[in-house]
């Protein structure tokens, strides 16, 4: 399976709230970072921490979809530009309420160790 196919399957699992499907491609020591406006607002280490966060996050959305706009292979990584749309299932702040639709464009860098994803950095 190519890196591109792994990423496509990972995103397909993400879009369908299939946490187990997402985990199958991750290295045990996966490192995840979410970077928004240049600041790290979430950092996780290890597949168990990732699983817990993915399960919690999936409860926040009624629907969600990532669409790959651009894919670029690098030496031990792949950079993906993504269009993101999600509908909230619950209120998450005074401004963001259940039923609101979020749309954004971002970039995700997937680091690889052999055929497993060892790092994920989400930029928005």
């Amino acid at each position: 399976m190519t890196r591109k196919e792994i990423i496509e399957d990972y995103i397909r699992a993400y879009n369908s709230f299939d946490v187990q499907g997402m985990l199958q491609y991750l290295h045990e020591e996966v490192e995840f970072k979410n970077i928004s406006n240049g600041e790290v607002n979430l950092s996780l280490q290890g597949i168990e921490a990732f699983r817990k966060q993915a399960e919690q996050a999936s409860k926040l959305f009624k629907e969600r979809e990532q669409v790959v706009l651009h894919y670029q292979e690098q030496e031990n990584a792949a950079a993906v530009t993504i269009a993101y749309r999600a509908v909230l299932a619950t209120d998450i702040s005074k401004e963001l309420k259940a039923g609101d639709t979020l749309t954004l464009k971002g970039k995700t860098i997937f680091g690889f160790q052999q055929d497993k994803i060892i790092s994920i950095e989400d930029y928005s």
Side-chain angles (χ1 to χ4, degrees), residues 85-102:
R85 187 188 68 77
V87 178
L88 293 173
T90 184
D91 296 354
I92 59 173
S93 72
K94 288 182 180 180
E95 298 82 27
L96 299 171
K97 305 283 187 192
D100 286 353
T101 299
L102 307 176

Side-chain angles (χ1 to χ4, degrees), residues 7-27:
I7 291 168
E8 287 170 347
D9 270 9
Y10 171 89
I11 290 172
R12 204 172 1 263
Y14 175 89
N15 288 344
S16 61
F17 299 92
D18 178 6
V19 174
Q20 197 55 44
M22 294 165 61
L23 296 178
Q24 72 178 324
Y25 299 106
L26 302 185
H27 189 282

Side-chain angles (χ1 to χ4, degrees), residues 74-118:
Q74 300 168 350
E75 190 174 335
N76 289 315
V80 182
T81 304
I82 291 175
Y84 180 78
R85 187 188 68 77
V87 178
L88 293 173
T90 184
D91 296 354
I92 59 173
S93 72
K94 288 182 180 180
E95 298 82 27
L96 299 171
K97 305 283 187 192
D100 286 353
T101 299
L102 307 176
T103 56
L104 58 95
K105 195 170 166 182
K107 179 178 175 180
T108 301
I109 300 175
F110 294 90
F112 283 84
Q113 186 171 311
Q114 281 105 26
D115 61 345
K116 292 286 187 180
I117 298 170
I118 188 72

Side-chain angles (χ1 to χ4, degrees), residues 17-97:
F17 299 92
D18 178 6
V19 174
Q20 197 55 44
M22 294 165 61
L23 296 178
Q24 72 178 324
Y25 299 106
L26 302 185
H27 189 282
E28 284 291 320
E29 297 170 20
V30 66
E31 185 175 337
F32 174 83
K33 287 184 184 169
N34 190 70
I35 300 120
S36 183
N37 297 320
E39 292 189 25
V40 176
N41 60 20
L42 179 63
S43 181
L44 303 168
Q45 183 74 46
I47 200 165
E48 188 57 27
F50 186 95
R51 181 189 63 75
K52 286 179 185 173
Q53 174 60 29
E55 288 173 349
Q56 289 173 347
S58 69
K59 294 175 183 144
L60 298 176
F61 304 103
K62 208 183 316 187
E63 52 186 86
R64 63 185 185 185
E65 181 182 34
Q66 290 185 6
V67 177
V68 175
L69 301 175
H70 184 263
Y71 175 87
Q72 181 181 359
E73 190 96 17
Q74 300 168 350
E75 190 174 335
N76 289 315
V80 182
T81 304
I82 291 175
Y84 180 78
R85 187 188 68 77
V87 178
L88 293 173
T90 184
D91 296 354
I92 59 173
S93 72
K94 288 182 180 180
E95 298 82 27
L96 299 171
K97 305 283 187 192

